[in-house]
Amino acid sequence: MDFPDSPTPSSTAHAALADVAARSHARGAKWSSLVIALLVHGGLLALLAFIVVQATTEAPPEFVVASVEAEQRPEMETKVYALKNQPKPSAPSRAANVIASVTAAHISV
């Protein structure tokens, strides 16, 4: 078997065509993976939003307002408290006078 030292023109064309096809496939794979990732994340976001909306919708509270006529109102019992004067505490006994000195001494009192 004889192998040529230089590539033939047909093998160079096949290599160039294969290189272009590989780049095209890589570019297509990048875009398809980006689209799939966006669709998956969008679906998860929609699912979580649906769960949150369903969990937070509550029926509005129902208010029942009724009034009673003045003649039907029950009388309230009132208590009257009498204030008593508390005796004042007795004045404290006279405390001993404090002896203070301005000069310094060796003995403290």
Side-chain angles (χ1 to χ4, degrees):
M1 228 168 160
D2 188 23
F3 293 106
D5 292 338
S6 65
T8 61
S10 64
S11 66
T12 307
H14 288 298
L17 185 60
D19 187 39
V20 169
R23 277 189 266 144
S24 175
H25 177 70
R27 189 177 328 125
K30 287 178 187 177
W31 281 107
S32 64
S33 64
L34 177 67
V35 169
I36 290 172
L38 288 176
L39 288 175
V40 168
H41 283 89
L44 287 175
L45 184 66
L47 179 67
L48 291 175
F50 179 73
I51 291 172
V52 168
V53 168
Q54 290 297 323
T56 57
T57 55
E58 297 174 358
E62 188 175 314
F63 294 106
V64 178
V65 180
S67 64
V68 179
E69 293 181 21
E71 295 139 9
Q72 295 178 354
R73 290 185 184 167
E75 291 296 322
M76 301 287 290
E77 293 182 19
T78 57
K79 293 182 180 179
V80 178
Y81 294 100
L83 298 176
K84 296 179 183 176
N85 289 338
Q86 300 246 348
K88 293 184 179 181
S90 62
S93 62
R94 287 190 65 127
N97 292 338
V98 176
I99 302 172
S101 173
V102 179
T103 60
H106 295 290
I107 302 171
S108 62
V109 178

